[in-house]
Amino acid sequence: MKFFSLMALEQAAADAATATGAEGAVPAEVGFVGTLISLVPMILIFVIFYFMLIRPQRKKEKKVQEMLKALKVGDRVSTIGGIYGTITNIKDDTLELSVGRDNVKLIFARWAIRQVEDVAIENDSEVLN
């Protein structure tokens, strides 16, 4: 078996085209190999993007959706705006949070919750669990 480089195949195609008198005629096998070789880098780039960008983002979105579905009354949460509070009421896609020492009631959309807090946060008036 002989292995030819792409340049050798192109040279053979050019020689065949001049021998037959046809300008620009390329054998089918050379055209296929050239097309295949030009597609390989694009396929590799897509595979790299998938494993480095798309797949991790999907995992993160799935984890966030599971966290939002698992919210319950009494959970300590932080919002995307940086407000810490305790869930006092859940109604469809809205949550009522009790915030601060005066237990001010604020209503947020479910998607506005960043995370459920597990760490104790010390405040002037109370210690949050």
Side-chain angles (χ1 to χ4, degrees):
M1 287 174 130
K2 290 184 178 180
F3 294 101
F4 294 103
S5 69
L6 181 59
M7 290 177 46
L9 287 174
E10 290 175 351
Q11 183 61 38
D15 291 342
T18 56
T20 60
E23 292 288 326
V26 179
E29 63 188 40
V30 174
F32 175 74
V33 171
T35 304
L36 184 65
I37 289 174
S38 67
L39 287 177
V40 168
M42 294 170 67
I43 293 170
L44 286 175
I45 288 171
F46 179 76
V47 169
I48 290 170
F49 271 111
Y50 178 77
F51 283 107
M52 293 188 71
L53 298 173
I54 298 169
R55 189 169 175 236
Q57 183 65 27
R58 284 186 181 171
K59 280 185 174 182
K60 184 178 177 182
E61 287 176 8
K62 184 178 179 182
K63 188 176 179 181
V64 167
Q65 291 300 321
E66 288 174 1
M67 183 268 304
L68 291 176
K69 286 180 183 177
L71 290 174
K72 61 188 180 299
V73 174
D75 282 348
R76 303 284 308 166
V77 295
S78 66
T79 67
I80 58 175
I83 298 173
Y84 291 88
T86 303
I87 298 175
T88 57
N89 189 12
I90 299 176
K91 186 175 183 181
D92 297 328
D93 287 336
T94 59
L95 306 169
E96 183 179 285
L97 297 183
S98 174
V99 179
R101 76 174 73 147
D102 296 331
N103 289 327
V104 176
K105 305 294 182 185
L106 299 175
I107 297 182
F108 287 92
R110 188 180 289 258
W111 59 263
I113 303 301
R114 174 177 289 152
Q115 64 186 5
V116 176
E117 295 294 322
D118 295 331
V119 191
I121 301 169
E122 293 188 21
N123 197 344
D124 292 339
S125 63
E126 61 180 306
V127 175
L128 308 176
N129 295 338

